[in-house]
Amino acid sequence: RVDLVESGGGSVQAGGSLKLSCVHSDDPYNTYYMGWFRQAPGKEREAVAVLDNDGTTSYTESVKGRFTISKDDAKRTLYLQMDNLKPEDTAMYYCAAEPSRRFSGKSYSLRHDVSAYIYWGRGTQVTVSS
């Protein structure tokens, strides 16, 4: 069992910034793919950013240049720095993790597939007002 606990959500005006954190309970930390996903009311959950176990990052098109995913191995924490926030970024943001072996030899797009991840946090709400 892997526990993920998100924090850092809140309400900001458009153009503002927030930094989300996700603490990961398992060890060793580096053998997981970890990602941030979001779900807006009435919409399906979607990938926002993923960090591979080798440090490779990938982002959904709508957040490129505005969001940055990173991690601190010593703190077993995944981050999502969100700048220039827009009202359409309003959603519940979730942290997810999956053992890296799941992605070995598979399509690159699998890392952005919600169904590929077993471990999920409970989410943190981000609200952006115009």
Side-chain angles (χ1 to χ4, degrees):
R1 177 182 175 83
V2 176
D3 293 321
L4 303 171
V5 181
E6 305 99 333
S7 62
S11 297
V12 297
Q13 290 191 325
S17 298
L18 285 172
K19 187 173 185 177
L20 306 183
S21 299
C22 171
V23 178
H24 183 285
S25 69
D26 200 16
D27 192 25
Y29 179 82
N30 289 337
T31 61
Y32 288 85
Y33 278 37
M34 296 194 72
W36 288 99
F37 294 74
R38 67 186 179 187
Q39 188 166 17
K43 294 188 177 181
E44 294 186 351
R45 192 170 299 187
E46 64 173 357
V48 176
V50 172
L51 182 62
D52 297 359
N53 63 313
D54 65 359
T56 302
T57 60
S58 57
Y59 300 89
T60 193
E61 193 64 34
S62 63
V63 308
K64 286 181 179 178
R66 300 189 298 119
F67 291 11
T68 303
I69 189 171
S70 64
K71 65 178 181 177
D72 184 327
D73 290 343
K75 295 182 179 179
R76 293 193 302 207
T77 302
L78 181 75
Y79 301 103
L80 184 67
Q81 176 67 46
M82 304 186 295
D83 297 318
N84 190 23
L85 281 160
K86 302 177 180 181
E88 51 264 42
D89 295 318
T90 295
M92 184 71 79
Y93 283 70
Y94 298 90
C95 176
E98 180 67 21
S100 60
R101 61 181 180 272
R102 161 90 157 130
F103 300 96
S104 178
K106 300 295 178 59
S107 168
Y108 182 84
S109 63
L110 184 63
R111 67 198 63 197
H112 279 222
D113 188 335
V114 172
S115 65
Y117 292 80
I118 291 179
Y119 303 110
W120 292 87
R122 293 190 175 189
T124 184
Q125 178 67 38
V126 171
T127 302
V128 185
S129 58
S130 56

